[in-house]
Coordinates of all heavy atoms in Angstrom, one line a residue:
M1 N 0.8 -1.2 0.0 CA 0.0 0.0 0.0 C 0.9 1.3 0.0 O 1.9 1.3 0.7 CB -0.9 0.0 1.2 CG -2.2 0.8 1.0 SD -3.2 0.8 2.5 CE -2.6 2.3 3.3
R2 N 0.5 2.2 -0.8 CA 1.3 3.4 -0.9 C 0.9 4.4 0.3 O -0.3 4.6 0.6 CB 1.0 4.1 -2.2 CG 2.2 4.9 -2.7 CD 1.9 5.3 -4.1 NE 2.7 6.5 -4.4 CZ 2.5 7.3 -5.4 NH1 1.6 7.0 -6.3 NH2 3.2 8.3 -5.6
N3 N 1.9 4.9 1.0 CA 1.7 5.8 2.1 C 1.6 7.2 1.5 O 2.5 7.7 0.8 CB 2.9 5.7 3.0 CG 2.6 6.4 4.3 OD1 2.4 7.6 4.3 ND2 2.7 5.7 5.4
I4 N 0.5 7.9 1.9 CA 0.2 9.2 1.4 C 1.3 10.2 1.9 O 1.8 11.0 1.1 CB -1.2 9.7 1.7 CG1 -2.2 8.8 1.0 CG2 -1.4 11.1 1.3 CD1 -3.6 8.9 1.5
Y5 N 1.6 10.1 3.2 CA 2.6 11.0 3.8 C 3.9 10.9 3.0 O 4.5 11.9 2.6 CB 2.8 10.6 5.2 CG 3.8 11.6 5.9 CD1 3.3 12.7 6.6 CD2 5.1 11.3 5.9 CE1 4.2 13.5 7.2 CE2 6.0 12.2 6.5 CZ 5.6 13.3 7.2 OH 6.5 14.1 7.8
C6 N 4.3 9.7 2.7 CA 5.6 9.5 2.1 C 5.6 10.0 0.6 O 6.6 10.6 0.2 CB 6.0 8.0 2.1 SG 6.4 7.5 3.7
S7 N 4.5 9.9 -0.1 CA 4.5 10.3 -1.4 C 4.4 11.9 -1.5 O 4.8 12.5 -2.5 CB 3.3 9.7 -2.2 OG 2.1 10.0 -1.5
F8 N 4.0 12.5 -0.4 CA 4.0 14.0 -0.4 C 5.3 14.5 0.1 O 5.8 15.4 -0.4 CB 2.8 14.5 0.5 CG 1.6 14.7 -0.2 CD1 0.5 13.8 -0.2 CD2 1.3 15.9 -0.9 CE1 -0.6 14.0 -0.8 CE2 0.2 16.1 -1.6 CZ -0.8 15.1 -1.6
F9 N 5.8 14.0 1.2 CA 6.9 14.6 1.9 C 8.2 13.8 1.8 O 9.2 14.2 2.2 CB 6.6 14.8 3.4 CG 5.4 15.6 3.7 CD1 4.2 15.0 4.1 CD2 5.4 17.0 3.5 CE1 3.1 15.8 4.3 CE2 4.3 17.7 3.7 CZ 3.1 17.2 4.1
G10 N 8.1 12.6 1.2 CA 9.2 11.7 1.1 C 9.3 10.8 2.4 O 8.7 11.1 3.4
H11 N 10.1 9.8 2.3 CA 10.3 8.9 3.5 C 11.0 9.6 4.6 O 11.8 10.5 4.4 CB 11.0 7.7 3.1 CG 10.4 6.9 2.1 ND1 9.2 6.2 2.3 CD2 10.7 6.6 0.8 CE1 8.8 5.6 1.2 NE2 9.7 5.8 0.2
E12 N 10.6 9.2 5.9 CA 11.3 9.7 7.0 C 12.2 8.7 7.6 O 11.8 7.7 8.2 CB 10.3 10.1 8.1 CG 10.7 11.3 8.9 CD 9.6 12.0 9.6 OE1 8.9 12.8 8.9 OE2 9.3 11.6 10.8
F13 N 13.5 8.8 7.2 CA 14.5 7.7 7.5 C 14.9 7.7 9.0 O 15.2 8.8 9.6 CB 15.7 7.8 6.6 CG 15.4 7.6 5.2 CD1 15.7 8.6 4.3 CD2 14.8 6.5 4.7 CE1 15.4 8.5 2.9 CE2 14.5 6.3 3.4 CZ 14.8 7.3 2.5
K14 N 15.0 6.5 9.5 CA 15.6 6.3 10.9 C 16.6 5.2 10.7 O 16.3 4.2 10.1 CB 14.5 5.9 11.8 CG 14.9 5.8 13.2 CD 13.8 5.3 14.1 CE 14.4 4.7 15.4 NZ 13.8 3.5 15.8
I15 N 17.8 5.5 11.2 CA 18.9 4.5 11.0 C 18.6 3.3 11.9 O 18.4 3.5 13.1 CB 20.3 5.1 11.3 CG1 20.6 6.2 10.3 CG2 21.4 4.0 11.3 CD1 21.8 7.0 10.6
T16 N 18.6 2.1 11.4 CA 18.3 0.9 12.2 C 19.6 0.1 12.4 O 19.7 -0.7 13.3 CB 17.3 0.0 11.5 OG1 17.7 -0.3 10.1 CG2 15.9 0.6 11.5
K17 N 20.6 0.3 11.5 CA 21.8 -0.5 11.6 C 23.0 0.2 11.0 O 22.9 0.7 9.9 CB 21.6 -1.8 10.9 CG 22.6 -2.9 11.3 CD 22.2 -4.2 10.6 CE 22.8 -5.4 11.2 NZ 22.5 -6.6 10.4
H18 N 24.1 0.3 11.7 CA 25.3 0.8 11.1 C 26.1 -0.4 10.6 O 26.7 -1.1 11.4 CB 26.2 1.6 12.2 CG 25.6 2.9 12.6 ND1 26.1 4.1 12.0 CD2 24.6 3.2 13.4 CE1 25.4 5.1 12.5 NE2 24.4 4.6 13.4
V19 N 26.2 -0.5 9.3 CA 26.9 -1.7 8.8 C 28.4 -1.4 8.7 O 29.2 -2.1 9.3 CB 26.4 -2.0 7.3 CG1 27.1 -3.2 6.8 CG2 24.9 -2.4 7.4
T20 N 28.7 -0.2 8.1 CA 30.1 0.3 8.1 C 30.0 1.8 8.3 O 28.9 2.3 8.5 CB 30.9 0.0 6.8 OG1 30.3 0.8 5.7 CG2 30.8 -1.5 6.4
H21 N 31.1 2.5 8.2 CA 31.0 4.0 8.3 C 30.2 4.6 7.1 O 29.6 5.6 7.3 CB 32.4 4.6 8.2 CG 33.2 4.3 9.4 ND1 32.8 4.5 10.7 CD2 34.4 3.7 9.6 CE1 33.7 4.1 11.6 NE2 34.7 3.6 10.9
Y22 N 30.1 3.9 6.0 CA 29.5 4.4 4.8 C 28.1 3.8 4.6 O 27.2 4.4 4.0 CB 30.4 4.2 3.6 CG 31.7 4.7 3.8 CD1 32.8 3.9 4.1 CD2 32.0 6.1 3.8 CE1 34.1 4.4 4.3 CE2 33.3 6.6 4.1 CZ 34.3 5.7 4.3 OH 35.6 6.2 4.5
V23 N 28.0 2.5 5.0 CA 26.7 1.8 4.7 C 25.9 1.7 6.0 O 26.3 1.2 7.0 CB 27.1 0.4 4.1 CG1 25.8 -0.4 3.8 CG2 27.9 0.5 2.9
K24 N 24.7 2.1 5.8 CA 23.7 2.0 6.9 C 22.4 1.4 6.4 O 22.1 1.5 5.3 CB 23.5 3.4 7.5 CG 24.7 3.9 8.3 CD 24.5 5.4 8.6 CE 25.8 5.9 9.3 NZ 26.9 6.0 8.3
E25 N 21.6 0.9 7.4 CA 20.3 0.4 7.0 C 19.3 1.4 7.7 O 19.5 1.8 8.8 CB 20.1 -1.0 7.5 CG 20.8 -2.0 6.6 CD 20.6 -3.4 7.1 OE1 19.8 -3.7 7.9 OE2 21.4 -4.3 6.5
F26 N 18.3 1.7 6.9 CA 17.3 2.7 7.4 C 15.9 2.0 7.4 O 15.6 1.1 6.7 CB 17.2 3.9 6.5 CG 18.5 4.5 6.2 CD1 19.3 4.1 5.2 CD2 18.9 5.6 7.0 CE1 20.6 4.7 4.9 CE2 20.2 6.2 6.8 CZ 21.0 5.8 5.7
K27 N 15.0 2.7 8.1 CA 13.6 2.3 8.1 C 12.8 3.6 8.1 O 13.2 4.6 8.8 CB 13.3 1.5 9.4 CG 12.0 0.8 9.3 CD 11.9 -0.1 10.5 CE 10.5 -0.5 10.8 NZ 10.4 -1.3 12.0
C28 N 11.8 3.6 7.3 CA 10.9 4.8 7.2 C 10.0 4.7 8.4 O 9.3 3.7 8.6 CB 10.2 4.9 5.9 SG 9.0 6.2 5.9
T29 N 9.9 5.8 9.2 CA 9.1 5.8 10.4 C 7.6 5.9 10.0 O 6.7 5.7 10.8 CB 9.5 6.9 11.4 OG1 9.4 8.2 10.6 CG2 10.9 6.8 11.9
Q30 N 7.3 6.3 8.8 CA 6.0 6.5 8.3 C 5.4 5.2 7.7 O 4.2 4.8 8.1 CB 5.9 7.6 7.3 CG 6.3 9.0 7.9 CD 5.4 9.4 9.0 OE1 4.2 9.1 9.1 NE2 6.0 10.1 10.0
C31 N 6.1 4.6 6.8 CA 5.5 3.4 6.1 C 6.3 2.1 6.5 O 5.9 1.0 6.0 CB 5.5 3.6 4.6 SG 7.2 3.8 3.9
N32 N 7.3 2.2 7.3 CA 8.1 1.0 7.8 C 8.8 0.3 6.7 O 9.3 -0.8 6.9 CB 7.2 0.0 8.5 CG 6.8 0.5 9.9 OD1 7.6 1.2 10.5 ND2 5.6 0.2 10.3
K33 N 9.0 0.9 5.5 CA 9.8 0.3 4.4 C 11.2 0.4 4.8 O 11.7 1.4 5.5 CB 9.5 1.1 3.2 CG 9.3 0.2 2.0 CD 9.0 1.0 0.7 CE 9.7 0.3 -0.4 NZ 9.6 1.0 -1.7
Q34 N 12.0 -0.6 4.4 CA 13.4 -0.6 4.8 C 14.3 -0.3 3.6 O 14.0 -0.6 2.5 CB 13.8 -2.0 5.3 CG 13.3 -2.2 6.7 CD 13.7 -3.6 7.3 OE1 13.3 -4.6 6.8 NE2 14.5 -3.5 8.3
F35 N 15.4 0.5 3.9 CA 16.3 1.0 2.9 C 17.7 0.7 3.3 O 18.0 0.4 4.5 CB 16.1 2.5 2.7 CG 14.7 2.8 2.3 CD1 13.7 3.1 3.2 CD2 14.4 3.0 0.9 CE1 12.4 3.4 2.9 CE2 13.1 3.3 0.6 CZ 12.1 3.5 1.5
T36 N 18.6 0.8 2.4 CA 20.1 0.8 2.7 C 20.9 1.7 1.8 O 20.3 2.1 0.8 CB 20.6 -0.7 2.6 OG1 21.9 -0.8 3.1 CG2 20.5 -1.2 1.2
T37 N 22.1 1.9 2.1 CA 23.0 2.7 1.3 C 23.6 1.7 0.3 O 24.1 0.6 0.7 CB 24.1 3.3 2.1 OG1 23.6 3.7 3.4 CG2 24.7 4.5 1.4
D38 N 23.6 2.0 -1.0 CA 24.2 1.1 -2.0 C 25.7 1.5 -2.2 O 26.2 2.4 -1.6 CB 23.4 1.1 -3.3 CG 23.5 2.4 -4.1 OD1 24.3 3.3 -3.7 OD2 22.7 2.5 -5.0
Q39 N 26.4 0.8 -3.1 CA 27.8 1.0 -3.4 C 28.1 2.5 -3.8 O 29.2 3.0 -3.5 CB 28.3 0.1 -4.5 CG 28.2 -1.4 -4.1 CD 26.9 -1.9 -4.7 OE1 25.8 -1.3 -4.6 NE2 27.0 -3.1 -5.4
S40 N 27.2 3.2 -4.4 CA 27.4 4.5 -4.9 C 27.0 5.6 -3.8 O 27.1 6.8 -4.0 CB 26.6 4.8 -6.1 OG 26.3 3.6 -6.8
G41 N 26.5 5.1 -2.6 CA 26.2 6.0 -1.6 C 24.7 6.5 -1.7 O 24.3 7.4 -0.9
N42 N 24.0 5.9 -2.6 CA 22.6 6.3 -2.7 C 21.7 5.4 -1.8 O 22.0 4.3 -1.5 CB 22.1 6.1 -4.1 CG 22.9 7.0 -5.1 OD1 23.1 8.2 -4.9 ND2 23.3 6.3 -6.2
I43 N 20.6 6.0 -1.3 CA 19.7 5.2 -0.5 C 18.7 4.4 -1.4 O 18.1 5.0 -2.4 CB 18.9 6.1 0.4 CG1 19.9 6.6 1.5 CG2 17.7 5.4 1.1 CD1 19.3 7.7 2.4
T44 N 18.7 3.1 -1.2 CA 17.9 2.3 -2.1 C 17.1 1.3 -1.2 O 17.4 1.1 -0.1 CB 18.8 1.6 -3.1 OG1 18.0 0.7 -3.9 CG2 19.9 0.8 -2.4
A45 N 16.1 0.7 -1.8 CA 15.2 -0.3 -1.0 C 16.1 -1.4 -0.6 O 16.9 -1.9 -1.3 CB 14.1 -0.7 -1.9
L46 N 15.9 -1.9 0.6 CA 16.6 -3.0 1.2 C 16.1 -4.3 0.7 O 15.0 -4.8 1.1 CB 16.6 -3.0 2.7 CG 17.4 -4.0 3.4 CD1 18.9 -3.9 3.2 CD2 17.1 -4.0 4.9
T47 N 16.8 -5.0 -0.3 CA 16.3 -6.2 -0.8 C 17.1 -7.4 -0.1 O 18.1 -7.1 0.5 CB 16.7 -6.3 -2.3 OG1 18.1 -6.2 -2.5 CG2 16.0 -5.2 -3.1
P48 N 16.6 -8.6 -0.2 CA 17.4 -9.7 0.4 C 18.8 -9.7 -0.1 O 19.7 -10.1 0.7 CB 16.6 -11.0 -0.1 CG 15.2 -10.5 -0.3 CD 15.4 -9.1 -0.9
K49 N 19.1 -9.4 -1.3 CA 20.4 -9.3 -1.9 C 21.3 -8.3 -1.1 O 22.4 -8.6 -0.7 CB 20.3 -9.0 -3.4 CG 21.7 -9.0 -4.1 CD 22.0 -10.3 -4.6 CE 23.5 -10.4 -5.0 NZ 24.0 -11.8 -5.1
H50 N 20.7 -7.1 -0.9 CA 21.4 -6.1 -0.2 C 21.7 -6.5 1.3 O 22.7 -6.2 1.8 CB 20.6 -4.8 -0.1 CG 20.8 -3.9 -1.3 ND1 19.7 -3.6 -2.2 CD2 21.9 -3.4 -1.8 CE1 20.2 -2.8 -3.1 NE2 21.5 -2.7 -3.0
R51 N 20.7 -7.2 1.9 CA 20.9 -7.7 3.2 C 22.1 -8.6 3.3 O 22.8 -8.6 4.3 CB 19.6 -8.4 3.6 CG 19.1 -8.1 5.0 CD 17.9 -9.0 5.3 NE 16.7 -8.4 4.9 CZ 15.9 -7.7 5.7 NH1 16.2 -7.5 7.0 NH2 14.8 -7.2 5.3
E52 N 22.2 -9.5 2.3 CA 23.3 -10.4 2.2 C 24.6 -9.7 2.1 O 25.6 -9.9 2.9 CB 23.2 -11.3 1.0 CG 23.1 -12.7 1.2 CD 22.7 -13.5 -0.1 OE1 23.6 -13.5 -1.0 OE2 21.6 -14.0 -0.2
I53 N 24.7 -8.7 1.2 CA 25.9 -7.9 1.0 C 26.3 -7.2 2.3 O 27.4 -7.2 2.7 CB 25.7 -6.9 -0.1 CG1 25.5 -7.6 -1.5 CG2 26.9 -5.9 -0.2 CD1 25.0 -6.7 -2.6
N54 N 25.3 -6.6 3.0 CA 25.5 -5.9 4.2 C 26.1 -6.8 5.3 O 26.9 -6.4 6.1 CB 24.2 -5.2 4.7 CG 23.9 -4.0 3.8 OD1 24.7 -3.6 3.0 ND2 22.8 -3.3 4.1
A55 N 25.5 -8.0 5.4 CA 26.0 -8.9 6.4 C 27.5 -9.2 6.2 O 28.3 -9.3 7.1 CB 25.2 -10.2 6.3
V56 N 27.9 -9.4 4.9 CA 29.3 -9.6 4.6 C 30.1 -8.4 4.9 O 31.2 -8.5 5.6 CB 29.5 -10.0 3.1 CG1 30.9 -10.1 2.7 CG2 28.8 -11.3 2.8
L57 N 29.7 -7.2 4.5 CA 30.4 -6.0 4.8 C 30.6 -5.8 6.3 O 31.6 -5.4 6.7 CB 29.6 -4.8 4.2 CG 29.6 -4.5 2.8 CD1 28.7 -3.4 2.4 CD2 31.1 -4.2 2.3
E58 N 29.5 -6.1 7.0 CA 29.6 -6.0 8.5 C 30.7 -6.8 9.1 O 31.4 -6.4 10.0 CB 28.2 -6.3 9.1 CG 28.0 -5.7 10.4 CD 26.6 -6.1 11.0 OE1 26.0 -7.0 10.4 OE2 26.3 -5.5 12.0
K59 N 30.7 -8.1 8.6 CA 31.7 -9.0 9.1 C 33.1 -8.5 8.8 O 34.0 -8.5 9.7 CB 31.5 -10.4 8.4 CG 30.9 -11.4 9.3 CD 31.0 -12.8 8.6 CE 29.8 -13.6 9.0 NZ 29.6 -14.8 8.2
I60 N 33.4 -8.1 7.6 CA 34.7 -7.6 7.2 C 35.0 -6.3 8.1 O 36.1 -6.2 8.6 CB 34.7 -7.2 5.7 CG1 34.5 -8.5 4.9 CG2 36.0 -6.5 5.3 CD1 34.2 -8.1 3.4
H61 N 34.0 -5.5 8.2 CA 34.2 -4.2 9.0 C 34.6 -4.5 10.4 O 35.5 -3.9 11.0 CB 32.9 -3.4 8.9 CG 33.1 -2.1 9.6 ND1 33.9 -1.1 9.1 CD2 32.5 -1.6 10.7 CE1 33.8 0.0 9.9 NE2 32.9 -0.3 10.9
H62 N 33.9 -5.5 11.0 CA 34.2 -5.8 12.4 C 35.6 -6.4 12.6 O 36.3 -6.1 13.6 CB 33.1 -6.7 13.0 CG 31.9 -5.9 13.3 ND1 30.8 -6.5 13.9 CD2 31.6 -4.6 13.2 CE1 29.8 -5.6 14.1 NE2 30.3 -4.5 13.7
K63 N 36.0 -7.2 11.6 CA 37.3 -7.8 11.6 C 38.4 -6.7 11.6 O 39.3 -6.7 12.3 CB 37.5 -8.7 10.4 CG 37.3 -10.2 10.8 CD 37.7 -11.1 9.6 CE 37.1 -12.4 9.8 NZ 37.1 -13.2 8.5
K64 N 38.1 -5.7 10.7 CA 39.1 -4.6 10.6 C 39.2 -3.8 11.9 O 40.2 -3.5 12.3 CB 38.6 -3.7 9.4 CG 39.1 -4.1 8.1 CD 38.8 -3.0 7.1 CE 39.0 -3.5 5.7 NZ 38.4 -2.6 4.7
Q65 N 38.0 -3.6 12.5 CA 37.9 -2.8 13.7 C 38.7 -3.5 14.8 O 39.5 -2.9 15.5 CB 36.5 -2.7 14.2 CG 35.6 -1.7 13.4 CD 36.0 -0.3 13.6 OE1 36.8 0.3 12.8 NE2 35.5 0.3 14.6
K66 N 38.6 -4.9 14.9 CA 39.3 -5.6 15.9 C 40.8 -5.5 15.7 O 41.5 -5.3 16.7 CB 38.9 -7.1 15.7 CG 38.1 -7.6 16.9 CD 37.9 -9.1 16.8 CE 36.7 -9.6 17.6 NZ 36.4 -11.0 17.3
K67 N 41.3 -5.6 14.4 CA 42.7 -5.4 14.1 C 43.2 -4.1 14.6 O 44.2 -3.9 15.2 CB 42.9 -5.6 12.6 CG 43.6 -6.8 12.2 CD 44.0 -6.8 10.8 CE 44.3 -8.2 10.3 NZ 44.4 -8.3 8.8
K68 N 42.4 -3.0 14.2 CA 42.8 -1.7 14.6 C 42.9 -1.5 16.1 O 43.9 -1.0 16.6 CB 41.6 -0.8 14.1 CG 42.1 0.5 13.4 CD 41.0 1.4 13.1 CE 41.0 2.0 11.8 NZ 39.8 2.8 11.5
N69 N 42.0 -2.1 16.8 CA 42.0 -2.0 18.3 C 43.3 -2.7 18.9 O 43.9 -2.2 19.8 CB 40.8 -2.6 18.9 CG 39.6 -1.7 18.7 OD1 39.7 -0.5 18.3 ND2 38.4 -2.3 18.8
L70 N 43.6 -3.8 18.3 CA 44.8 -4.5 18.7 C 46.1 -3.7 18.5 O 47.0 -3.7 19.3 CB 44.9 -5.9 18.0 CG 44.0 -7.0 18.5 CD1 44.2 -8.2 17.7 CD2 44.3 -7.3 20.0
Q71 N 46.1 -3.0 17.4 CA 47.3 -2.2 17.0 C 47.5 -1.0 18.0 O 48.5 -0.5 18.1 CB 47.2 -1.7 15.6 CG 47.6 -2.8 14.6 CD 47.2 -2.4 13.2 OE1 46.5 -1.4 12.9 NE2 47.6 -3.3 12.2
L72 N 46.3 -0.6 18.6 CA 46.4 0.5 19.5 C 47.1 0.2 20.8 O 47.6 1.0 21.5 CB 45.0 1.1 19.7 CG 44.4 1.9 18.6 CD1 43.0 2.3 18.9 CD2 45.2 3.1 18.2
I73 N 47.0 -1.1 21.1 CA 47.6 -1.6 22.4 C 49.2 -1.6 22.2 O 49.7 -2.2 21.3 CB 47.1 -3.0 22.8 CG1 45.6 -3.0 22.9 CG2 47.8 -3.5 24.1 CD1 45.0 -4.3 23.0
P74 N 49.9 -0.9 23.1 CA 51.3 -0.8 22.9 C 52.0 -2.1 23.3 O 51.6 -2.9 24.1 CB 51.8 0.3 23.9 CG 50.6 0.7 24.7 CD 49.4 -0.1 24.2
Ligands
ZN101 ZN1 7.9 6.0 3.9

């Protein structure tokens, strides 16, 4: 169903997940539709494919973060 508010004012994004510094998942507080940042930095609908990519990105990102933290220890 099309949300009238969203078609007039656009979606009202709320960040639901920080995947990496650049990729985030969003949810519209008006129509509950889910979105994500794509490779070009645009906000696009969150498809199962995107969810998969984000899960991989998140894993890689967390691994990197761990490495970084270890390097900070003298
Ligand atoms: Zn919406």
Side-chain angles (χ1 to χ4, degrees):
M1 205 183 93
R2 209 168 154 195
N3 189 300
I4 295 168
Y5 181 94
C6 290
S7 58
F8 268 99
F9 303 104
H11 297 290
E12 211 160 279
F13 297 121
K14 187 184 158 221
I15 296 170
T16 53
K17 199 180 197 180
H18 286 261
V19 181
T20 69
H21 291 305
Y22 309 102
V23 180
K24 288 168 187 71
E25 286 180 12
F26 308 88
K27 192 171 160 184
C28 176
T29 54
Q30 297 300 326
C31 66
N32 287 327
K33 224 179 145 185
Q34 287 182 291
F35 301 87
T36 187
T37 324
D38 68 10
Q39 299 95 314
S40 339
N42 301 311
I43 289 173
T44 178
L46 183 67
T47 60
K49 183 89 195 162
H50 275 120
R51 225 185 271 263
E52 237 172 71
I53 296 169
N54 285 355
V56 174
L57 282 176
E58 202 183 9
K59 253 188 210 167
I60 297 169
H61 184 67
H62 281 184
K63 257 188 201 161
K64 271 190 195 163
Q65 289 287 97
K66 251 188 198 167
K67 247 187 197 170
K68 224 189 224 171
N69 288 343
L70 282 177
Q71 280 166 356
L72 286 176
I73 301 166

